[in-house]
């Protein structure tokens, strides 16, 4: 009979006494295989193995190696493997940019009491249309080697815990869903491989958008939501599963944002009140943003430099994010905004700047056609950083859900120091949002400290979305999860 040591987190073969901590285990382990029996037991398994190979392919059913037991390590330590599953990885898109940030942050904050290794399992196989019944057969043989390679690296680090953070967004184009691919067969192989490595596996799903995930999160030890609405919804679907509330950090850089983050480290805790901290942060981000002359990239080309200077000279209001009707922006809303600015007497130099990934070309063409009627409109497409838009004081979002901490476009533009106007509740219509935004911008433009007051009101959003704040809270959640017996 075999046993499992909860303290050292490994299987004890043939005796309840752990060879590492010398404590007696009272937890039986379902495995009854001894080290000496491994070769003898291989023959009866050949028939089953051949059947699985016909069904799924040899890469998925490769025999797990027998390895030596691992010594005890800090209970809060973990190796983090994270993935977007079966989808195209776009480092500039919302989920892809979040994955790139998570890898960069966790790898850059390695700690023997926390994350000792971070690895992104990036799927590079086909992502075209496929039926769910065929998913395991097409996905598992390609994906399992990625996990196996990660385990080889993890065994060289001081931890006994693997946390697999699987990201899910089951909305939008069905075959472009972030997180497709997880299935019971794949999960069973994950557990087998991790156990054979002398380690344990904890599966955590990060949910980017709220949907009914029952049946889509097998083996979930915990769930992470990126905004309060999703967090509450998950509680309704999974009331007994441990849940955490996280956020999307800023995923685009700018010189003025990076500078303010450094200064806030010295100010926080020394200010007499939150209001004073908000005003100090607003004054600084306003000053730093308006004096940001940093180039668009480290080594800009001549064409990029010319474009950057032209964008940097623009003043006005930014509509930032993926150019898609799904995010609320329409030709009608843009035309209404331009018309309201005209009626309010804003000069022609006060521009409406549409910037972001051009996901729907037909929509981009409609915006470009509006330029003839509204010369203040500028459709600039993707940008490398918010350095190029530093001349614009304001931003507006037509997202029907209002401000959300899982909406990277709104988080990014807030962190870039633009005073953001978004819907106040689902009931606010486009016309009401535009009237409120134009009225407040007109009032702010008549006062020297007007834009700074708007920025002070959104400073709490600015601070909680910093990379450091989001990353350290997530790391602490993973540490607590690894520390559980």
């Amino acid at each position: 009979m075999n046993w499992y040591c909860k303290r050292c987190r490994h299987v004890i073969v043939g005796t309840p006494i752990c060879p590492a901590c010398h404590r007696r285990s009272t937890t039986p382990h379902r495995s009854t295989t001894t080290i000496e029996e491994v070769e003898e037991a291989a023959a009866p398994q050949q028939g089953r193995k051949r059947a699985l190979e016909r069904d799924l392919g040899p890469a998925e059913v490769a025999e797990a190696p027998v390895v030596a037991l691992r010594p005890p390590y800090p209970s809060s330590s973990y190796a983090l493997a994270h993935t977007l599953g079966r989808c195209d990885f776009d480092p500039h898109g919302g989920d892809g940019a979040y994955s790139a940030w998570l890898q960069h942050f966790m790898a850059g904050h390695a700690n023997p009491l926390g994350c000792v290794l971070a690895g992104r399992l990036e799927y590079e196989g086909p992502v075209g249309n496929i039926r769910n019944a065929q998913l395991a057969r097409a996905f598992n043989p390609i994906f399992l080697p990625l996990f196996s390679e990660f385990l080889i690296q993890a065994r060289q680090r001081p931890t006994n815990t693997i946390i697999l953070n699987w990201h899910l967004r089951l909305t939008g184009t069905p075959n472009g869903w972030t997180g497709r691919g997880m299935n019971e067969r794949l999960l069973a192989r994950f557990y087998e491989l991790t156990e054979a490595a002398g380690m344990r596996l904890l599966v955590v799903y990060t949910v980017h958008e709220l949907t009914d995930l029952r049946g889509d999160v097998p083996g979930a030890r915990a769930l992470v939501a990126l905004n309060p609405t999703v967090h509450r919804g998950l509680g309704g679907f999974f009331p007994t599963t441990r849940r955490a509330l996280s956020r999307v950090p800023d995923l685009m850089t700018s010189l003025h944002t990076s500078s303010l983050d450094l200064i806030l480290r010295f100010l926080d805790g020394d200010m007499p009140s939150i209001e004073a901290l908000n005003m100090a942060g607003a004054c600084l981000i306003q000053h730093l943003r308006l004096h940001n002359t940093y180039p668009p990239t480290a080594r800009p080309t001549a064409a990029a430099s010319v474009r950057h200077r032209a964008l940097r000279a623009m003043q006005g209001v930014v509509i930032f994010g993926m150019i898609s009707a799904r995010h609320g922006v329409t030709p009608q809303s843009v035309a209404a905004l331009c018309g309201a600015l005209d009626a309010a007497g804003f000069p022609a130099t006060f521009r409406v700047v549409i910037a972001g990934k051009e996901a729907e070309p037909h929509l981009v063409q409609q915006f470009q056609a509006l330029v003839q009627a509204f010369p203040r409109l500028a459709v600039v497409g993707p940008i490398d950083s918010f350095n190029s838009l530093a001349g614009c004081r304001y931003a507006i979002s037509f997202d029907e859900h209002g401000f959300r901490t899982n909406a990277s476009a709104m988080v990014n533009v807030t962190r870039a120091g633009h005073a953001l106007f978004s819907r106040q509740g689902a009931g606010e219509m486009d016309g009401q949002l535009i009237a409120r935004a134009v009225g407040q911008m007109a009032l702010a433009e008549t006062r020297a400290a007007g834009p700074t007051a708007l920025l002070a009101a959104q400073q709490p959003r600015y601070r909680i979305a910093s990379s450091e704040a989001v990353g350290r809270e997530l790391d602490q959640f993973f540490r607590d999860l690894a520390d559980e017996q």
Side-chain angles (χ1 to χ4, degrees):
M1 182 175 182
N2 291 346
W3 304 82
Y4 181 74
C5 179
K6 291 185 177 180
R7 180 183 178 88
C8 301
R9 297 173 180 171
H10 58 229
V11 179
I12 311 170
V13 179
T15 174
I17 306 300
C18 177
C21 66
H22 306 293
R23 294 179 179 232
R24 177 180 292 273
S25 171
T26 59
T27 306
H29 192 269
R30 60 184 176 83
S31 172
T32 58
T33 303
T34 65
I35 295 177
E36 291 77 14
E37 291 172 346
V38 171
E39 294 299 327
E40 298 175 6
Q45 298 292 326
Q46 294 301 316
R48 176 177 176 272
K49 180 181 177 181
R50 283 194 294 270
L52 286 173
E53 286 178 345
R54 288 194 303 270
D55 187 22
L56 298 175
E60 182 175 346
V61 297
E63 295 294 341
V66 177
V67 298
L69 300 179
R70 293 171 62 78
Y73 294 111
S75 60
S76 60
S77 66
Y78 64 92
L80 176 67
H82 58 103
T83 183
L84 302 181
R86 186 182 184 272
C87 72
D88 284 321
F89 179 84
D90 179 4
H92 303 294
D95 296 349
Y98 181 91
S99 176
W101 164 79
L102 182 61
Q103 176 63 27
H104 181 266
F105 181 88
M106 290 299 185
H109 291 74
N111 190 299
L113 298 179
C115 183
V116 299
L117 173 68
R120 185 173 62 209
L121 309 184
E122 186 176 340
Y123 173 76
E124 296 181 347
V127 293
N129 190 30
I130 189 172
R131 296 178 179 177
N132 286 336
Q134 301 171 322
L135 194 54
R137 186 173 182 178
F139 179 75
N140 294 12
I142 298 177
F143 199 77
L144 269 171
L146 299 177
F147 186 73
S148 299
E149 291 173 8
F150 177 80
L151 281 179
I152 292 174
Q153 299 179 55
R155 277 190 50 77
Q156 302 172 17
R157 303 301 173 92
T159 186
N160 287 318
T161 300
I162 302 293
I163 292 181
L164 174 61
N165 186 200
W166 197 284
H167 293 254
L168 287 169
R169 184 194 297 270
L170 303 187
T171 58
T173 305
N175 290 286
W177 289 345
T178 291
R180 287 195 85 208
M182 178 57 93
N183 58 85
E184 294 285 357
R185 286 174 173 170
L186 183 63
L187 184 61
R189 287 295 291 145
F190 284 159
Y191 280 121
E192 291 173 9
L193 291 170
T194 307
E195 183 178 299
M199 309 174 82
R200 66 165 182 164
L201 175 66
L202 306 178
V203 181
V204 179
Y205 294 91
T206 294
V207 182
H208 290 244
E209 298 284 352
L210 180 61
T211 187
D212 188 346
L213 293 173
R214 286 172 292 195
D216 294 306
V217 289
R221 182 65 174 266
L223 301 169
V224 177
L226 296 181
N227 74 22
T229 302
V230 175
H231 188 258
R232 289 191 297 270
L234 291 177
F237 293 133
F238 307 96
T240 62
T241 303
R242 179 166 180 174
R243 301 180 306 280
L245 177 59
S246 185
R247 301 173 297 279
V248 169
D250 57 315
L251 301 176
M252 287 187 68
T253 60
S254 69
L255 178 62
H256 49 279
T257 300
S258 301
S259 301
L260 180 59
D261 284 345
L262 291 174
I263 297 173
L264 285 178
R265 294 183 186 181
F266 296 96
L267 289 181
D268 197 9
D270 293 328
M271 301 300 292
S273 66
I274 292 296
E275 290 75 15
L277 180 62
N278 291 343
M279 185 55 68
C283 291
L284 286 169
I285 192 66
Q286 176 83 326
H287 180 82
L288 294 169
R289 179 181 56 79
L290 294 177
H291 290 80
N292 180 359
T293 58
Y294 199 72
T297 58
R299 295 181 179 179
T301 63
S305 296
V306 171
R307 180 175 185 265
H308 168 70
R309 287 194 295 270
L311 293 178
R312 178 63 183 79
M314 289 185 182
Q315 298 180 8
V317 56
V318 176
I319 301 175
F320 177 74
M322 183 179 294
I323 300 178
S324 169
R326 184 166 61 91
H327 293 168
V329 61
T330 64
Q332 293 76 21
S333 60
V334 172
L337 175 59
C338 291
L341 291 171
D342 290 344
F346 279 80
T349 54
F350 191 93
R351 312 294 295 275
V352 175
V353 183
I354 301 179
K357 184 178 179 181
E358 298 175 336
E360 298 180 13
H362 69 282
L363 191 58
V364 175
Q365 293 174 0
Q366 293 179 43
F367 290 141
Q368 291 172 339
L370 282 177
V371 175
Q372 299 297 323
F374 301 100
R376 73 169 70 247
L377 178 62
V379 184
V380 303
I383 58 173
D384 293 328
S385 77
F386 277 100
N387 293 327
S388 296
L389 298 179
C392 295
R393 300 176 186 266
Y394 312 99
I396 189 169
S397 169
F398 291 96
D399 192 299
E400 63 180 7
H401 299 290
F403 184 84
R404 295 175 289 130
T405 55
N406 66 332
S408 58
M410 285 186 274
V411 171
N412 283 335
V413 81
T414 298
R415 291 277 298 166
H418 305 270
L420 173 64
F421 298 95
S422 57
R423 296 189 196 276
Q424 294 182 338
E428 187 173 41
M429 307 302 291
D430 282 358
Q432 295 170 307
L433 169 61
I434 291 171
R436 177 168 57 85
V438 171
Q440 292 193 33
M441 287 188 290
L443 184 61
E445 288 294 298
T446 63
R447 301 177 179 179
T452 304
L454 293 175
L455 290 176
Q458 71 177 29
Q459 275 295 296
R461 290 177 176 177
Y462 178 98
R463 290 193 298 272
I464 67 169
S466 74
S467 176
E468 198 74 15
V470 175
R472 291 200 178 279
E473 288 181 19
L474 192 59
D475 172 57
Q476 187 60 55
F477 173 71
F478 288 148
R479 291 189 190 199
D480 293 343
L481 199 63
D483 199 34
E484 292 179 353
Q485 296 299 319

